[in-house]
């Protein structure tokens, strides 16, 4: 039986300011339109591929400064962008993960190379950097991924730290709501989940982490079961939000466990797991899910989460709770 292909993406959850909403929504639409041909090829004789689709969608957002991935990534305390990503396919449970890359625009594609060109799953730091260069990825000039917004966000973070108003590992949604003019966003990771006509599920997630992180900090994004997971028998999940919270709660696996063992719908599982995470650990975040039957789940406990998906001829998108828009593809 043929499955209806779906491509679902997120552009990050967190304290997204009003000024950044239009750029995120437009960026997600562009990402979906640039990737959909990989999932639903114009030539009906060709087969769509979920793995190609999620990589293409994330690559598009890695090029867009409206997102915290690739170009536009958050900066660490030293003013550097250290990027990380993971990608996974649900048929054979193959995956590739990378972390602590510098001046590499597309960590998601490096992660796919790790999956397909090595017997390993995870590479990090200088070894991952060397691997990327050996396989033809461009070493961009120092600071090429850094934007003016990211610099301002780091300076603002340091100013708040100096006044005792911000601590890196103790951010709460109350703090975010009290400081809506903050330039930076914590946890505005990008991700994509897709299911193709054959029922194959793939997930890709990419991030620059959080503003003001310690050099060498690794978040949830490259960790399987936390930021990314895909299993054709159950579903696929990509998460976003406060990384320390998500990795401690194992959010992606919590969602899939509710689907597999509690017979919850994709939406119910996503909502329950996100709420349970924030109730237990205070930190906020969100997730996008597609289950093995092609049902979707979208939920977040942060102030906002940017999301969009294509199903059939409709492009659906939103960023606030209780608010959703659609347009013809």
């Amino acid at each position: 039986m043929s499955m209806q292909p779906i491509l679902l993406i997120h552009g990050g959850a967190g304290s997204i300011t009003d000024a950044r909403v239009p750029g995120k929504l437009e960026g997600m639409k562009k990402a979906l339109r640039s990737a959909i041909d990989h999932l639903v090829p114009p030539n009906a004789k060709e087969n769509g591929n979920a793995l190609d689709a999620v990589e293409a969608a994330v690559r598009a957002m890695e090029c867009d400064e409206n997102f915290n991935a690739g170009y536009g990534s958050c900066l660490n305390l030293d003013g550097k962008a250290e990027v990380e990503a993971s990608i996974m396919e649900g048929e054979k449970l193959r995956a590739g993960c990378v972390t602590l890359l510098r001046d590499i625009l597309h960590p998601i594609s490096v992660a796919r190379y790790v999956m397909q060109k090595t017997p390993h799953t995870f590479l990090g730091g200088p070894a991952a950097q060397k691997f990327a260069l050996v396989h033809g990825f461009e070493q961009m000039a120092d600071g090429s991924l850094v934007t003016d917004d990211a610099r301002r966000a780091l300076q603002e973070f340091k100013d708040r730290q100096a006044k005792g108003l911000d601590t890196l590992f103790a951010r709460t949604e109350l703090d975010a709501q009290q400081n809506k003019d903050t330039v930076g966003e914590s946890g505005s990771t990008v991700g994509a989940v897709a299911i193709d006509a054959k029922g194959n599920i793939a997930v890709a997630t990419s991030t620059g982490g959080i503003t003001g992180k310690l050099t060498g900090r690794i978040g949830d994004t490259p960790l399987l079961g936390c930021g990314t997971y895909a299993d054709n028998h159950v579903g696929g999940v990509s998460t976003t939000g406060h990384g320390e919270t998500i990795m401690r709660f194992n959010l992606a696996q919590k969602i899939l466990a509710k689907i597999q063992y509690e017979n919850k719908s994709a939406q119910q599982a996503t909502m329950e797991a996100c709420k349970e995470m924030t109730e237990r650990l205070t930190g906020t975040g969100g997730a996008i899910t597609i289950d093995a039957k092609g049902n979707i789940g979208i939920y977040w406990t942060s102030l906002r989460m940017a999301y969009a998906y294509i199903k059939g001829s409709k492009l659906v998108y939103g960023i606030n709770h209780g608010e959703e828009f659609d347009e013809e593809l």
Side-chain angles (χ1 to χ4, degrees):
M1 183 178 69
S2 180
M3 185 75 65
Q4 182 179 20
I6 304 169
L7 178 56
L8 170 62
I9 67 175
H10 68 73
S15 53
I16 300 170
T17 64
D18 291 345
R20 294 182 70 88
V21 168
K24 284 191 177 292
L25 296 181
E26 189 60 31
M28 288 190 304
K29 292 179 189 179
K30 289 180 180 178
L32 284 174
R33 290 188 168 110
S34 71
I36 193 60
D37 284 353
H38 292 284
L39 192 65
V40 186
N43 184 346
K45 295 181 180 180
E46 298 178 5
N47 293 319
N49 184 293
L51 191 63
D52 290 341
V54 295
E55 181 188 11
V58 168
R59 280 177 63 93
M61 290 186 284
E62 287 174 336
C63 292
D64 190 332
E65 65 179 307
N66 288 294
F67 302 104
N68 173 23
Y71 180 63
S73 288
C74 291
L75 305 182
N76 64 23
L77 281 174
D78 294 330
K80 303 292 184 180
E82 291 183 317
V83 297
E84 52 193 4
S86 61
I87 192 167
M88 186 170 184
E89 59 84 18
E91 182 182 13
K92 297 181 179 179
L93 305 185
R94 295 180 304 157
C97 312
V98 292
T99 191
L100 304 179
L101 291 174
R102 290 191 177 185
D103 303 310
I104 300 288
L105 179 59
H106 293 301
I108 196 62
S109 295
V110 181
R112 184 168 180 177
Y113 263 62
V114 171
M115 179 179 76
Q116 296 182 328
K117 306 290 186 182
T118 81
H120 308 305
T121 299
F122 203 150
L123 294 178
Q129 194 84 18
K130 181 178 179 181
F131 174 84
L133 300 182
V134 166
H135 285 86
F137 290 91
E138 180 185 358
Q139 174 73 65
M140 303 174 73
D142 183 39
S144 294
L145 303 183
V146 180
T147 63
D148 289 341
D149 272 355
R151 290 191 187 94
R152 285 195 293 269
L154 178 60
Q155 187 57 56
E156 184 176 275
F157 171 79
K158 288 181 176 180
D159 291 345
R160 285 174 50 77
Q161 260 198 330
K163 297 175 183 177
L165 298 176
D166 208 345
T167 58
L168 180 57
F169 303 113
R171 291 172 172 165
T172 65
E173 192 59 26
L174 177 61
D175 177 68
Q177 291 180 13
Q178 289 174 337
N179 297 281
K180 291 182 180 178
D181 294 331
T182 300
V183 175
E185 303 163 23
S186 64
S188 225
T189 301
V190 305
V193 184
I195 187 168
D196 60 32
K198 294 182 177 180
N200 289 318
I201 295 172
V203 181
T205 315
S206 180
T207 193
I210 55 178
T211 296
K213 63 184 181 179
L214 299 178
T215 299
R217 176 263 190 185
I218 299 169
D220 66 294
T221 291
L223 303 182
L224 300 181
C226 299
T228 295
Y229 205 81
D231 183 342
N232 283 5
H233 296 164
V234 187
V237 178
S238 176
T239 71
T240 173
H242 186 250
E244 278 67 25
T245 298
I246 291 171
M247 72 175 82
R248 286 161 60 201
F249 195 73
N250 210 216
L251 181 58
Q253 277 293 357
K254 284 288 202 308
I255 292 169
L256 293 177
K258 286 179 177 291
I259 294 172
Q260 185 173 15
Y261 301 116
E262 299 179 28
N263 201 30
K264 298 290 177 68
S265 69
Q267 180 61 36
Q268 189 72 18
T270 306
M271 180 180 68
E272 286 185 7
C274 288
K275 285 184 174 181
E276 288 168 7
M277 178 186 73
T278 297
E279 288 170 2
R280 178 81 182 272
L281 298 173
T282 303
T284 65
I288 55 173
T289 305
I290 299 177
D291 69 18
K293 297 177 182 178
N295 301 305
I296 68 171
I298 303 167
Y299 198 77
W300 63 96
T301 56
S302 307
L303 186 65
R304 284 170 165 157
M305 185 178 80
Y307 71 90
Y309 62 92
I310 290 175
K311 185 175 182 179
S313 63
K314 288 289 187 180
L315 192 160
V316 182
Y317 59 95
I319 199 166
N320 295 309
H321 279 293
E323 177 183 273
E324 190 167 271
F325 307 96
D326 66 75
E327 58 189 57
E328 291 295 323
L329 181 59

